[in-house]
């Protein structure tokens, strides 16, 4: 059609506009709307240029095979199955690369997926439908205002049902029991399109009213019943029931087909005791849409005896010093949702009924755990549960005797997988009726389950928590001995927090760290403290260090710790310290020695001059070859100590002195010369002559002054001639030339003389 239109334009236009548009370039048609998926031809007039042209759509080149040149001034672009929602087509000159003209092509679609429902406006009672509701889908630009017209036709009539500006429509209708065809027309200012026809049978779009649900009844099973208004036709129904537990809702659906004249009834088995259930029902004719759900009914189920599973179990302590074992009995509590009040009673009975001397009473327990005492013999623990309606439940468990030979499982293996502990074991040789597995994380709270296999999975565990697991074989009326597996964690935790400490030297640093480990933390090293030495560091330099703990489950990094190395090493500091200590010890030792010597000097006794005597000191005689010192018998004795008093002269007689070679020196005499009083050589010779002539003092006045009884402490002293004055050898004390003439010298010893001698 478009092609013939183009040919007409090309044939007529030149004759009409000849000469007027000889130099015109243009593209036609302009701003065209077409249905999506249809075909269109676009003409480019090229009178203004010469040469070849090419096309673009949305700035992308079009295959040249789609373009056809009619004559030197017209080229046609043929587009097939056009699906662009909106496209800009342009015609270009290849020679001058200039746009000669362009146009915009937009598409529209028709409404699809039409569906209609016949129903009653009042859904409370059954009757002929009086309403029709239809809906459809239409992809359209939201900016466009579209008006929809819903039309129906049959073999006898054609009529309009409703108008709408949206994709649904509702209106009253009275349809006959025959097939109808419905179409939807969409109309805008630029285009108009009809949908494909939708043909239906009224029974296939008829929506029933919801059925009437009766109150459910429950005994051991739950019975749900309902009634429907129209029993003339076969229908299908659904029963929906749900149960909410801990904020989570579980939902189930039961299907039921009903024949003519049949009401609905469904029995629901295995509903849980003391639980709230919600019920509703809906029905539909064959191929027709479902009715609305009926009004919901809520029912609380009663306690069903078959649902009571006490699962009585026990944990046994060691025998105490009184021969008593404590048994911790535990069982599954009746659900708290049951409104009844239940009483739990525990009684222990000897396994051998002929035992005498044992009298146990019932123990009333207020919670699903209870402790009772038994002896070392075998017992059976009996649990009784009853309520006010005298509904009674019982269970029992066996307690082996001490030393009783019973089978037990072996080779228990455990592993973890995403928070679940997997347990497996090897069965005993004897046949068993099952296995009881119990586990605990603190020794007080236990969980347990029964299994018929030699493996099980433990779930709902605390995260990153160690568990102790025990497996016990079960027999018809007894239990074997339990076997405990190695402790295992529900999941391995990341490494704990890392804390580091640094001790720095000049060229090294000692880094130590602590890892706070939990019971299930995963670490790559043993222990909680580690150290490492950092070497080859620079003195007096700032550094930072951290420690990272890595495990299979993750990584933990400590905070960075900054430290500065010391300027000098510990060896230098130690050497300086040792030298300083030695110097201090030397100074202290010298000070102590001086203090001791000074103390000795201070404490040395000074003779009382009043108790001293006067003696004659022999004068030195100049003699060649004599010894420079006298041979003292006491090395500490001085010449001043050898003063002969009168008393000493009487009591002892000095032995003859010997020379250096051991010969007697009877011709030598001793002489003490005060260096401060030694006269000149001439004066000395003169004094010696004077002394040789007399044995008295050179000046009688001086002697009298020194021996004055009123002023001198020597008033009681008398002159005594030294016993060795005649036969004492000379001993040189000072390097002074001595006269050849020997004379006796009188010497007075005073305290002042000692002090002057020490000062000099």
């Amino acid at each position: 059609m478009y092609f013939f239109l183009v040919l007409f334009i090309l044939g007529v236009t030149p004759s009409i506009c000849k000469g007027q548009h000889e130099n015109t370039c243009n593209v036609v048609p302009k701003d065209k709307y077409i249905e999506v998926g249809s075909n269109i031809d676009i003409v480019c007039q090229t009178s203004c240029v010469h040469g070849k042209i090419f096309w673009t759509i949305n700035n992308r080149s079009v295959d040249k095979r789609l373009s056809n040149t009619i004559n030197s001034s017209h080229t046609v672009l043929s587009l097939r199955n056009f699906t662009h929602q909106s496209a800009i087509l342009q015609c270009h000159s290849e020679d001058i690369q200039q746009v000669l003209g362009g146009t915009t092509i937009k598409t529209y679609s028709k409404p699809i997926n039409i569906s209609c429902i016949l129903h009653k406006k009042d859904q409370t009672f059954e009757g002929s439908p009086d309403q029709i509701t239809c809906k459809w889908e239409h992809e359209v630009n939201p900016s466009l205002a579209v008006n929809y017209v819903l039309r129906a036709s049959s073999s006898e009539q054609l009529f309009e049902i409703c108008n709408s500006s949206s994709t649904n429509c509702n209106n009253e209708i009275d349809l006959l029991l025959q097939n109808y065809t419905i179409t939807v027309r969409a109309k805008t200012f630029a285009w108009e399109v009809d949908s494909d026809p939708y043909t239906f049978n009224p029974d296939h779009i008829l929506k029933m009213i919801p059925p009437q649900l009766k109150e459910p009844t429950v005994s051991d099973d739950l019975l749900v019943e309902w009634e429907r208004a129209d029993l003339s036709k076969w229908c299908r129904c659904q029963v929906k029931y749900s149960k909410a537990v801990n904020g989570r809702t579980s939902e189930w659906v039961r299907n039921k087909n009903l024949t003519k004249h049949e009401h609905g009834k469904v029995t629901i088995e295995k509903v849980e005791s003391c639980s709230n259930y919600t019920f509703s029902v809906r029905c539909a004719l064959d191929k027709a849409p479902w009715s609305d759900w009926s009004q919901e009914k809520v029912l609380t189920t009663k306690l069903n005896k078959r649902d009571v599973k006490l699962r009585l179990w026990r944990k046994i302590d060691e025998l105490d010093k009184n021969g008593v074992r404590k048994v911790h009995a535990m069982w599954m509590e009746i659900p708290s949702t049951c409104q009844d009040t239940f009483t739990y009673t525990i009684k222990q009975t000897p396994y051998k009924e002929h035992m005498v001397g044992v009298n146990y009473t019932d123990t009333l327990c207020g919670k699903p755990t209870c402790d009772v005492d038994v002896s070392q013999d075998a017992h059976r623990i009996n649990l009784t549960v009853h309520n006010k309606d005298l509904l009674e439940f019982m269970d029992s468990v066996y307690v082996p005797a001490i030393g009783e030979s019973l089978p037990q499982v072996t080779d228990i293996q455990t592993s973890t997988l995403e928070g679940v502990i997997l347990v497996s074991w090897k069965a005993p040789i004897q046949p068993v009726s099952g296995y009881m597995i119990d586990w605990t994380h603190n020794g007080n709270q236990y969980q347990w389950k029964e299994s018929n296999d030699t493996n099980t999975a433990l779930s709902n565990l605390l995260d990153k928590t160690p568990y102790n697991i025990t497996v016990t074989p079960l027999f018809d009326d007894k239990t074997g001995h339990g076997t405990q597996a190695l402790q295992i964690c529900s999941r391995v935790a990341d490494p704990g927090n890392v804390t580091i400490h640094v001790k720095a030297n000049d060229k090294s640093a000692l880094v130590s760290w602590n890892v706070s480990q939990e019971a299930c933390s995963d670490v790559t090293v043993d222990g909680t403290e580690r150290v490492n030495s950092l070497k080859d560091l620079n003195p007096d330099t700032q550094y930072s260090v951290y420690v990272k703990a890595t495990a299979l489950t993750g990584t933990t990094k400590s905070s960075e710790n900054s430290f500065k190395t010391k300027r000098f090493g510990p060896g230098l500091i130690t050497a300086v310290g040792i030298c300083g200590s030695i110097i201090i010890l030397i100074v202290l030792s010298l000070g102590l020695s001086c203090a001791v010597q000074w103390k000795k000097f201070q404490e040395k006794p000074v003779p009382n001059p009043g108790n001293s005597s006067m003696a004659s000191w022999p004068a030195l005689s100049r003699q060649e070859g004599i010894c420079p010192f006298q041979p003292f018998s006491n090395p500490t004795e001085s010449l001043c100590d050898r003063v002969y008093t009168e008393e000493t002269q009487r009591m002892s007689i000095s032995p003859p002195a010997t020379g250096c070679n051991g010969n007697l020196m009877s011709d030598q005499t001793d002489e003490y010369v005060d260096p401060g009083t030694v006269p000149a050589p001439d004066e000395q010779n003169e004094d010696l002559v004077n002394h040789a002539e007399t044995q008295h003092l050179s000046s009688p006045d001086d002697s009298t002054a020194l021996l004055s009884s009123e002023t001198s402490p020597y008033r009681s002293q008398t002159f005594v001639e030294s016993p060795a004055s005649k036969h004492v050898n000379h001993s040189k004390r000072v390097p002074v030339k001595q006269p050849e003439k020997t004379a006796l010298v009188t010497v007075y010893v005073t305290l002042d003389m000692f002090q002057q001698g020490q000062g000099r």
Side-chain angles (χ1 to χ4, degrees):
M1 174 180 174
Y2 289 108
F3 181 73
F4 292 107
L5 178 61
V6 170
L7 292 180
F8 175 78
I9 294 173
L10 294 177
V12 176
T13 302
S15 60
I16 298 176
C17 304
K18 185 176 181 181
Q20 183 179 359
H21 302 290
E22 290 183 355
N23 297 323
T24 301
C25 290
N26 195 13
V27 174
V28 292
K30 296 289 188 181
D31 301 330
K32 185 68 176 178
Y33 280 90
I34 63 174
E35 185 177 347
V36 63
S38 60
N39 305 329
I40 188 172
D41 292 331
I42 309 297
V43 179
C44 178
Q45 182 181 352
T46 60
S47 303
C48 62
V49 296
H50 298 283
K52 296 182 180 181
I53 67 166
F54 66 93
W55 294 86
T56 60
I57 180 170
N58 293 335
N59 296 323
R60 298 181 64 181
S61 297
V62 178
D63 189 353
K64 291 184 178 181
R65 292 176 296 180
L66 301 178
S67 178
N68 185 23
T69 302
I70 303 300
N71 52 42
S72 61
S73 60
H74 292 85
T75 301
V76 178
L77 177 65
S78 299
L79 300 177
R80 301 292 180 263
N81 190 23
F82 194 78
T83 57
H84 290 276
Q85 186 176 3
S86 178
I88 298 176
L89 283 88
Q90 292 178 320
C91 178
H92 303 259
S93 171
E94 287 189 358
D95 295 338
I96 61 176
Q97 295 292 319
Q98 183 177 353
V99 177
L100 305 180
T103 184
T104 301
I105 307 298
K106 296 182 179 181
T107 60
Y108 58 86
S109 60
K110 55 187 177 181
I112 58 175
N113 296 334
I114 303 173
S115 63
C116 296
I117 296 176
L118 287 173
H119 59 92
K120 279 188 63 63
K121 185 176 182 179
D122 186 359
Q123 289 285 300
T124 58
F125 63 93
E126 192 70 42
S128 298
D130 55 8
Q131 292 275 329
I132 185 171
T133 301
C134 297
K135 60 182 180 179
W136 56 91
E137 298 176 3
H138 191 202
E139 185 177 352
V140 66
N141 190 337
S143 63
L144 287 177
V146 183
N147 184 49
Y148 298 98
V149 179
L150 183 66
R151 297 183 300 175
S153 64
S154 66
S155 59
E156 300 178 355
Q157 58 181 340
L158 174 64
F159 56 94
E160 186 176 295
I161 297 177
C162 60
N163 293 291
S164 174
S165 60
S166 60
T167 57
N168 59 78
C169 185
N170 177 274
N171 202 355
E172 295 182 358
I173 194 172
D174 185 10
L175 298 179
L176 301 176
L177 296 179
Q178 58 181 341
N179 291 342
Y180 287 87
T181 300
I182 291 180
T183 59
V184 177
R185 173 169 291 179
K187 186 177 181 180
T188 68
F189 73 95
W191 50 266
E192 182 178 315
V193 64
D194 289 338
S195 68
D196 293 333
Y198 166 62
T199 302
F200 64 88
N201 185 307
D203 284 344
H204 295 169
I205 64 171
L206 178 61
K207 180 180 178 180
M208 300 177 61
I209 65 172
Q212 297 294 320
L213 181 63
K214 296 182 179 181
E215 291 291 338
T217 59
V218 60
S219 55
D220 289 342
D221 298 323
L222 185 62
L223 180 63
V224 181
E225 296 180 291
W226 67 94
E227 295 180 352
R228 57 181 178 135
D230 185 6
L231 298 177
S232 62
K233 299 176 182 178
W234 177 94
C235 73
R236 52 197 171 91
C237 297
Q238 284 184 336
V239 178
K240 179 179 67 176
Y241 61 102
S242 60
K243 182 187 71 170
V245 178
N246 298 329
R248 300 179 60 184
T249 301
S250 300
E251 186 175 283
W252 302 268
V253 175
R254 296 283 299 274
N255 295 316
K256 179 71 176 179
N257 294 328
L258 301 179
T259 62
K260 293 181 180 180
H261 312 294
E262 181 185 7
H263 291 293
K265 180 173 63 175
V266 170
T267 299
I268 301 175
E269 301 176 349
K270 298 181 179 180
V271 292
E272 295 185 10
S273 300
C274 306
S275 299
N276 294 328
Y277 285 89
T278 302
F279 303 88
S280 60
V281 182
R282 68 178 181 177
C283 296
L285 297 175
D286 187 26
K287 297 181 181 179
W290 286 105
S291 69
D292 295 333
W293 288 103
S294 68
Q295 186 178 2
E296 291 183 343
K297 299 289 184 179
V298 179
L299 173 69
T300 301
T301 58
K302 294 183 179 181
L303 178 62
N304 195 324
K305 192 171 184 177
R306 70 184 179 188
D307 292 336
V308 178
K309 300 186 183 300
L310 298 175
R311 295 188 177 91
L312 179 63
W313 189 236
R314 81 291 181 275
K315 297 296 290 184
I316 309 169
D317 289 349
E318 297 292 333
L319 188 70
D320 63 13
K321 61 182 180 181
N322 298 322
V324 176
R325 294 181 294 169
K326 187 174 290 295
V327 178
H328 306 278
M330 46 194 177
W331 59 91
M332 302 298 295
E333 190 177 14
I334 293 177
S336 58
T337 54
C338 296
Q339 301 299 322
D340 294 339
T341 301
F342 297 91
T343 303
Y344 302 89
T345 303
I346 285 288
K347 185 175 183 178
Q348 62 274 41
T349 58
Y351 187 70
K352 296 180 180 180
E353 296 184 356
H354 63 274
M355 292 179 60
V356 296
V358 179
N359 185 17
Y360 295 112
T361 59
D362 294 348
T363 302
L364 188 63
C365 304
K367 54 184 180 180
T369 58
C370 205
D371 294 344
V372 293
D373 295 335
V374 298
S375 64
Q376 60 184 354
D377 299 317
H379 285 74
R380 182 166 290 279
I381 305 298
N382 300 292
L383 171 65
T384 303
V385 183
H386 56 85
N387 63 356
K388 61 182 179 180
D389 298 330
L390 301 180
L391 185 64
E392 189 174 77
F393 312 97
M394 298 185 64
D395 199 359
S396 64
V397 66
Y398 180 74
V399 178
I402 295 294
E404 184 175 357
S405 178
L406 291 171
Q408 62 185 115
V409 302
T410 57
D411 193 22
I412 297 182
Q413 303 291 331
T414 58
S415 61
T416 59
L417 178 63
E418 297 180 355
V420 176
I421 297 180
L422 306 177
V423 188
S424 62
W425 58 89
K426 186 177 181 180
I429 300 176
Q430 297 83 348
V432 299
S433 60
Y435 303 92
M436 186 66 74
I437 303 96
D438 63 76
W439 61 97
T440 179
H441 67 282
N442 57 8
N444 297 322
Q445 298 174 334
Y446 282 87
Q447 293 176 283
W448 65 100
K449 64 184 295 187
E450 190 172 345
S451 175
N452 294 324
D453 301 322
T454 56
N455 59 80
T456 189
L458 309 181
S459 57
N460 298 326
L461 305 174
L462 298 178
D463 191 29
K464 304 174 185 177
T465 304
Y467 279 87
N468 293 321
I469 303 170
T470 304
V471 180
T472 306
L474 305 178
F475 303 95
D476 293 336
D477 61 342
K478 290 185 177 182
T479 62
H481 290 303
T483 304
Q484 183 171 328
L486 296 176
Q487 191 178 72
I488 186 172
C489 292
S490 57
R491 189 166 66 89
V492 178
D494 296 338
N497 295 328
V498 180
T499 305
I500 63 175
H501 306 279
V502 181
K503 183 179 180 181
N505 293 321
D506 59 333
K507 295 183 179 180
S508 64
L510 187 65
V511 181
S512 63
W513 62 89
N514 293 291
V515 181
S516 59
Q517 292 195 26
E518 300 177 357
C520 293
S521 57
D522 184 18
V523 293
T524 56
V525 293
D526 297 331
T528 59
E529 184 175 355
R530 284 293 179 271
V531 294
N532 190 24
S533 179
L534 306 179
K535 300 180 180 180
D536 300 330
L537 303 180
N538 296 325
D540 196 24
T541 305
Q542 190 77 21
Y543 289 92
S544 62
V545 64
Y546 68 86
V547 175
K548 182 168 65 175
T550 303
L552 297 177
T553 56
T555 299
T556 300
K557 177 182 175 182
S558 71
S559 59
E560 289 193 0
N561 191 322
S562 297
F563 68 93
K564 188 175 183 179
T565 54
K566 297 180 179 180
R567 178 171 297 181
F568 303 106
L572 178 61
I573 297 175
T574 303
V576 171
I578 293 175
C579 293
S581 301
I582 294 175
I583 293 173
I584 292 174
L585 290 176
I586 293 174
V587 171
L588 292 177
S589 300
L590 291 176
L592 181 61
S593 177
C594 293
V596 170
Q597 295 298 327
W598 175 255
K599 186 175 181 181
K600 287 182 177 180
F601 175 75
Q602 291 289 342
E603 293 177 353
K604 186 174 182 180
V606 178
N608 188 354
N611 299 326
S612 61
S613 299
M614 184 175 62
S616 175
W617 198 287
L620 293 176
S621 61
R622 190 171 181 272
Q623 186 177 355
E624 297 293 336
I626 62 175
C627 290
F629 299 101
Q630 289 283 354
F632 299 114
S633 61
N634 187 356
T636 62
E637 187 180 9
S638 66
L639 293 175
C640 297
D641 293 336
R642 300 184 61 185
V643 177
Y644 296 98
T645 62
E646 294 177 350
E647 183 179 358
T648 307
Q649 206 171 23
R650 298 189 194 103
M651 295 179 61
S652 63
I653 299 175
S654 298
T658 60
C660 294
N661 52 7
N663 298 325
L664 294 177
M665 301 180 64
S666 56
D667 297 334
Q668 296 180 358
T669 59
D670 290 335
E671 180 184 15
Y672 175 81
V673 179
D674 188 358
T677 59
V678 175
D682 296 335
E683 295 176 355
Q684 186 178 13
N685 293 333
E686 183 179 356
D687 290 339
L688 291 175
V689 172
N690 294 332
H691 282 292
E693 295 175 355
T694 179
Q695 293 181 352
H696 295 88
L697 292 173
S698 58
S699 175
D701 297 336
D702 293 339
S703 178
T704 305
L706 287 173
L707 298 178
S708 174
S709 60
E710 296 180 356
T711 60
S712 175
Y714 301 98
R715 59 185 179 274
S716 61
Q717 293 178 351
T718 58
F719 177 82
V720 179
E721 184 178 356
S722 174
S725 59
K726 297 180 180 181
H727 306 284
V728 177
N729 294 331
H730 278 275
S731 177
K732 281 191 178 180
R733 298 292 293 175
V734 292
V736 181
K737 290 183 178 182
Q738 301 294 334
E740 296 179 359
K741 191 176 182 178
T742 302
L744 294 177
V745 179
T746 301
V747 179
Y748 298 94
V749 180
T750 66
L751 183 60
D752 293 336
M753 292 176 64
F754 282 113
Q755 292 178 348
Q756 291 176 6
Q758 290 175 357
R760 293 169 184 165

